[in-house]
Amino acid sequence: MSRAEKVGLSLLSYCKTLGNLNQIHAFVYKSGLETNPLIAGKLVILGALQISDAIDYARRLLIHNPNPDVFMYNTLIRGESQSDSPKNSVKSFIYMLRQSYSPPDSFSFAFVLKAAANLRCLTTGFQLHCQAMTRGLDTHLFVGTTMISMYAECGFVEFAWKVFVQIPQPNVVAWNAILTAYFRGSDVSGADKVFGLMPFRNLTTWNVMLAGYTKAGELERAEELFLKMPSRDDVSWSTMIVGFSHNGCFDEALRVFRELVGSGSKPNEVSLTGSLSACAQAGAFQFGMVLHAFIEKVGLVWITSVNNALLDTYSKCGNVLMARLVFERMLGKKTTVSWTSMIAGFAMQGYGEEVIKYFHEMEESGTRPDGVTFISVLYACSHAGLVEQGHELFSKMTETYDIEPSIEHYGCMVDLYGRAGQLHKAYNFVVQMPVPPNAIIWRTLLGACSFFGDIEMAEQVNKRLSELDPDNSGDHVLLSNIYAFAGKWKDVAMVRRSMAEKNLKKIPGWSMIEIDKVMYSFVAGDKRNEITEEANNKLREIMLKLKVKGGYIPEVGSVVHDIEEEEKEDTVSKHSEKLAVAFGMARLFKGSTIRIVKNLRVCKDCHSFMKLISKVYGLEIVVRDRSRFHSFKEGSCSCRDYW
């Protein structure tokens, strides 16, 4: 090996950036080493696989090489298959077929089939399958396994099975691929059959089954399988935690995390973010703090994704000050997700001015906002009544950042005008949208009509909704409420009759509260047990005190039935958030902040009820409903008003 070759290889071993690659390439060219297979191959590896922004450079290196070998082609095809533009991988494969004297090998097909899988392009997959058959590589173990995954990604499990049975001696990787294929096709029973047929299994096999069951919502079967596993790794634990969390079983997710720590295993990035996600969705503030302390203790604060999840947890638990502390203490550069999570936290609390401030700081830091960032900013403007700022930011999104508005952005603008009482402006905005408005857009406007009592426009909007989503019970309930508030009981009866004929049922309201790191759930009208009995007894005591000392009079306007006032009072007294707050007052230490998560919007009576409790009992209550946070303190709420 010549001195120039040794120097070139040494330089390549230290190459980290595209700038370095340019300089080394210049040295290679001046030294006459550009045709050296080893040096040329190393240059392509760096450009295609190791330097994030150098894939185009790697492509030019290969094209200008007078005699690229199969290895160089395979390296480029592999890099492009993993890039944001996997279509280029197919183009490079075609170029290889046309230009190279060396035929593609099994690696060539495996890498380009991966690109076809990422593209989910069945036509390309078929053509590659045919090319592999002509070269006798379709039954090759490596190629066949990748082909199974390709057909699975394209949604053709039956083709994946046909490929699988043609492989002479499938190994455990091939078996796992066909097992995954059945789960991708949502065929759980098919996956069960494959699992039963497998002559050998490894830990990946069990993890594939776990992931498949949790994704399909088969949580009992997943837990049963989890208990039978001969061994478990980080993926096993993380799959169970994330699976429970994504399926709304937050208490179970936190239980599994406790078991993980108790088993002596060390939680990883995925299990921690999954557990924090469960805390965020359930409003488990206390458990979130325990996780925070654990993260600090084991020294994982340097992981950006964990910090982002922690930030999101505090934001969704209603403690935006803790979220800001995490944000300010984050090590390294804050990502778009970090800034967006912080902005979303302030937005949910109704701090419109703070959101605008952080958005400008994000811009000044050089971090580019994305579509999700603008959804949070527009949401904040809507809830804070910042109509002009919201309009300017909506324009800035397209004009400055060239972000095409999605249906969610249009929905934020409708909400912005609707909450400001500009119903006709909101309606005109909807009908002039460049994309067809969906049911959510019209539903947002219907909510505004409900608040401002515009029956005429509500009926007009409801006609549009009935065309798009005729079986949505929430729309019928909302229209029924509008009629009820106006005292139009005949119209209420008509809507209710229509719901009965279509067999539509109102979504039951539930509320969750965390006591001593355990989540308790309350549902209005649920069966009595020791917990609900304790909550009801405490609630009766609270009601009596509020009526005597706070002058509480139930706002029965939120009850949409034409019944006696006493019955209406009994109806509103059983709302789930009232039971949750009563239970919290019975169980928590005096002076503790009560944090509640509710799946529906807090009604007017419960909103007034919480304000009175905070005043009479001197408590701080934080309620997160489906719309936003309500922080009750000293008889007032953090929101501008109930709307």
Side-chain angles (χ1 to χ4, degrees):
M1 184 181 290
S2 68
R3 183 176 179 280
E5 285 178 294
K6 290 180 180 179
V7 172
L9 289 171
S10 177
L11 290 171
L12 286 167
S13 66
Y14 291 101
C15 184
K16 302 294 182 185
T17 66
L18 180 57
N20 294 155
L21 189 61
N22 268 296
Q23 291 173 327
I24 296 169
H25 186 200
F27 169 81
V28 167
Y29 187 81
K30 287 176 69 176
S31 304
L33 297 172
E34 69 274 13
T35 58
N36 183 296
L38 182 60
I39 298 291
K42 289 279 187 182
L43 284 168
V44 175
I45 287 174
L46 284 166
L49 301 176
Q50 296 180 9
I51 300 174
S52 60
D53 56 346
I55 191 76
D56 292 334
Y57 195 85
R59 190 181 304 113
R60 291 196 296 273
L61 280 170
L62 186 140
I63 290 171
H64 289 97
N65 191 297
N67 189 30
D69 57 21
V70 175
F71 175 79
M72 292 176 66
Y73 274 109
N74 289 350
T75 303
L76 180 62
I77 291 167
R78 178 186 175 188
E80 289 174 329
S81 72
Q82 299 169 352
S83 72
D84 294 333
S85 302
K87 196 172 183 178
N88 289 332
S89 179
V90 180
K91 290 180 180 178
S92 293
F93 180 82
I94 295 169
Y95 183 79
M96 176 187 187
L97 293 177
R98 292 173 177 172
Q99 302 293 329
S100 178
Y101 294 105
S102 301
D105 58 14
S106 59
F107 291 100
S108 313
F109 279 101
F111 296 145
V112 75
L113 281 165
K114 179 65 176 174
N118 291 338
L119 288 167
R120 290 176 175 81
C121 182
L122 184 63
T123 303
T124 301
F126 272 145
Q127 292 172 334
L128 290 170
H129 191 167
C130 292
Q131 286 284 339
M133 287 178 68
T134 60
R135 289 168 171 79
L137 292 173
D138 55 311
T139 58
H140 187 283
L141 182 60
F142 193 23
V143 176
T145 301
T146 316
M147 204 176 293
I148 290 167
S149 300
M150 181 274 294
Y151 280 127
E153 287 293 334
C154 293
F156 286 84
V157 182
E158 63 274 21
F159 293 162
W161 177 256
K162 287 179 180 179
V163 172
F164 176 76
V165 296
Q166 293 295 319
I167 298 175
Q169 291 181 316
N171 61 5
V172 71
V173 178
W175 278 101
N176 288 341
I178 191 62
L179 185 65
T180 303
Y182 275 97
F183 278 123
R184 289 277 169 83
S186 302
D187 187 351
V188 177
S189 61
D192 286 335
K193 290 176 184 176
V194 171
F195 185 70
L197 290 170
M198 293 181 72
F200 28 68
R201 300 165 183 162
N202 60 8
L203 187 54
T204 301
T205 309
W206 293 89
N207 286 337
V208 168
M209 290 296 293
L210 276 183
Y213 281 150
T214 55
K215 188 177 179 181
E218 300 275 358
L219 300 180
E220 289 184 11
R221 297 182 69 183
E223 188 158 25
E224 184 182 339
L225 188 80
F226 182 73
L227 295 172
K228 290 180 181 177
M229 290 179 68
S231 63
R232 300 168 188 149
D233 63 358
D234 291 344
V235 176
S236 316
W237 288 101
S238 301
T239 300
M240 290 302 298
I241 292 168
V242 174
F244 276 126
S245 179
H246 285 179
N247 283 279
C249 302
F250 309 122
D251 212 17
E252 288 83 352
L254 301 181
R255 171 180 59 78
V256 175
F257 182 83
R258 292 190 194 96
E259 292 174 3
L260 164 61
V261 176
S263 71
S265 301
K266 185 178 179 181
N268 64 359
E269 179 180 348
V270 179
S271 57
L272 280 169
T273 53
S275 300
L276 286 167
S277 174
C279 291
Q281 298 305 316
F285 175 70
Q286 293 176 347
F287 201 93
M289 290 187 70
V290 170
L291 288 176
H292 189 177
F294 178 85
I295 291 164
E296 295 272 1
K297 181 181 178 181
V298 298
L300 295 176
V301 289
W302 58 271
I303 302 177
T304 302
S305 62
V306 173
N307 272 301
N308 289 341
L310 189 59
L311 195 163
D312 184 57
T313 297
Y314 281 130
S315 294
K316 288 181 178 174
C317 287
N319 196 320
V320 75
L321 296 179
M322 281 297 293
R324 178 159 57 187
L325 183 64
V326 172
F327 180 77
E328 291 173 350
R329 291 176 58 192
M330 283 181 69
L331 301 174
K333 186 178 179 181
K334 298 175 178 68
T335 65
T336 301
V337 175
S338 311
W339 283 99
T340 300
S341 297
M342 193 67 252
I343 287 169
F346 279 113
M348 285 188 291
Q349 294 279 358
Y351 296 116
E353 298 293 347
E354 285 290 321
V355 167
I356 302 296
K357 171 178 168 287
Y358 268 84
F359 178 76
H360 290 319
E361 287 182 9
M362 178 183 184
E363 290 182 302
E364 290 167 6
S365 74
T367 308
R368 182 183 174 87
D370 59 13
V372 180
T373 312
F374 276 100
I375 288 173
S376 296
V377 174
L378 292 172
Y379 173 92
C381 291
S382 171
H383 283 262
L386 305 174
V387 179
E388 289 185 13
Q389 291 93 325
H391 181 78
E392 289 172 4
L393 286 163
F394 184 75
S395 300
K396 187 174 192 177
M397 179 177 70
T398 54
E399 294 169 6
T400 304
Y401 293 103
D402 197 29
I403 297 173
E404 188 72 24
S406 67
I407 200 73
E408 289 82 8
H409 297 109
Y410 289 117
C412 287
M413 292 304 293
V414 174
D415 194 47
L416 178 75
Y417 296 132
R419 286 180 181 272
Q422 301 175 16
L423 299 183
H424 289 283
K425 190 170 184 177
Y427 183 85
N428 291 333
F429 181 87
V430 173
V431 296
Q432 292 173 16
M433 280 169 50
V435 295
N438 62 9
I440 297 173
I441 297 290
W442 289 113
R443 197 167 291 131
T444 300
L445 185 52
L446 184 62
C449 294
S450 171
F451 181 79
F452 290 103
D454 193 328
I455 297 175
E456 185 179 341
M457 184 174 285
E459 290 175 335
Q460 194 174 354
V461 171
N462 189 64
K463 285 180 182 178
R464 303 279 192 140
L465 268 172
S466 62
E467 295 170 1
L468 292 170
D469 193 5
D471 297 329
N472 186 284
S473 62
D475 299 337
H476 288 75
V477 171
L478 193 53
L479 185 63
S480 178
N481 290 350
I482 296 171
Y483 286 138
F485 294 146
K488 294 191 171 187
W489 298 111
K490 287 184 179 180
D491 292 320
V492 171
M494 177 190 69
V495 175
R496 293 284 167 169
R497 188 164 55 250
S498 173
M499 289 182 69
E501 289 170 357
K502 295 180 178 180
N503 197 28
L504 302 179
K505 294 182 180 179
K506 182 180 178 181
I507 298 171
W510 55 257
S511 297
M512 295 180 72
I513 185 170
E514 181 188 25
I515 308 288
D516 295 330
K517 305 178 193 66
V518 176
M519 302 306 300
Y520 293 89
S521 182
F522 295 90
V523 181
D526 207 1
K527 290 181 180 180
R528 292 291 181 101
N529 54 43
E530 289 183 10
I531 299 297
T532 56
E533 197 64 42
E534 182 180 350
N536 274 289
N537 290 338
K538 184 66 177 178
L539 183 57
R540 281 192 289 272
E541 174 194 316
I542 295 167
M543 285 272 198
L544 182 61
K545 187 171 182 177
L546 291 186
K547 286 180 179 180
V548 173
K549 292 192 174 182
Y552 170 61
I553 300 174
E555 295 192 34
V556 295
S558 58
V559 181
V560 296
H561 300 291
D562 188 12
I563 55 179
E564 295 298 323
E565 294 297 306
E566 189 175 338
E567 291 179 81
K568 290 183 178 182
E569 288 189 21
D570 185 58
T571 300
V572 297
S573 71
K574 294 177 181 176
H575 284 186
S576 63
E577 56 267 54
K578 287 190 177 76
L579 291 169
V581 76
F583 186 69
M585 291 172 68
R587 289 285 186 99
L588 289 171
F589 292 111
K590 188 176 180 180
S592 299
T593 299
I594 296 175
R595 301 176 188 277
I596 297 167
V597 174
K598 182 174 171 63
N599 67 323
L600 303 176
R601 190 163 173 247
V602 176
C603 76
K604 286 186 177 181
D605 177 69
C606 288
H607 194 266
S608 301
F609 183 79
M610 302 293 177
K611 285 167 70 174
L612 269 178
I613 288 180
S614 69
K615 181 179 180 181
V616 173
Y617 286 87
L619 287 174
E620 183 176 356
I621 304 169
V622 179
V623 180
R624 188 183 89 205
D625 65 14
R626 71 176 183 186
S627 178
R628 56 160 296 146
F629 273 97
H630 301 269
S631 183
F632 302 94
K633 195 173 183 179
E634 298 177 354
S636 62
C637 180
S638 61
C639 62
R640 290 187 302 129
D641 48 38
Y642 174 66
W643 172 240

